[in-house]
Amino acid sequence: MFTWYWLADLCAREGIGTGAVARIEGRTTTRKVRVLGRSQQLLRLDFEAAGDLDPSHMQAPIDLVRHGARPDVVFVSDYAKGVLTPLVLAAVALAWS
């Protein structure tokens, strides 16, 4: 199974920094299970945390934005999973405006 540690190790081996990745304990990565029949996808089951990020955990992504290196481009998306709350988005806008 793919885990954060597997991905971090792969990134390290390829020279890709992960310093801007916020890990939030208890917040799992979406897991997708595809059900196949006769080589065709019949169904996909998604197991995910889709509620808003707990306010006590909002500081981690905000700190990454405020204290990280200034990027040339910022893309923000969480596929409506609740990480990009109005507070987090406001911090992103303020940090690079």
Side-chain angles (χ1 to χ4, degrees):
M1 179 181 224
F2 300 115
T3 66
W4 159 250
Y5 302 103
W6 173 85
L7 180 60
D9 182 59
L10 178 63
C11 288
R13 283 187 277 141
E14 296 299 322
I16 300 169
T18 58
V21 177
R23 285 192 58 234
I24 299 168
E25 292 299 325
R27 186 102 177 169
T28 59
T29 300
T30 300
R31 186 170 50 109
K32 300 175 184 196
V33 176
R34 290 170 174 82
V35 179
L36 305 176
R38 295 187 181 179
S39 301
Q40 293 185 352
Q41 180 174 318
L42 303 174
L43 177 69
R44 187 180 87 188
L45 305 169
D46 292 356
F47 301 90
E48 59 192 8
D52 280 355
L53 191 62
D54 186 275
S56 66
H57 292 117
M58 287 184 193
Q59 199 58 44
I62 290 171
D63 286 346
L64 286 171
V65 168
R66 287 188 179 150
H67 304 297
R70 185 178 176 93
D72 294 325
V73 177
V74 176
F75 293 96
V76 292
S77 176
D78 72 351
Y79 297 91
K81 301 299 183 230
V83 175
L84 295 176
T85 64
L87 180 63
V88 173
L89 289 172
V92 170
L94 183 62
W96 294 311
S97 60

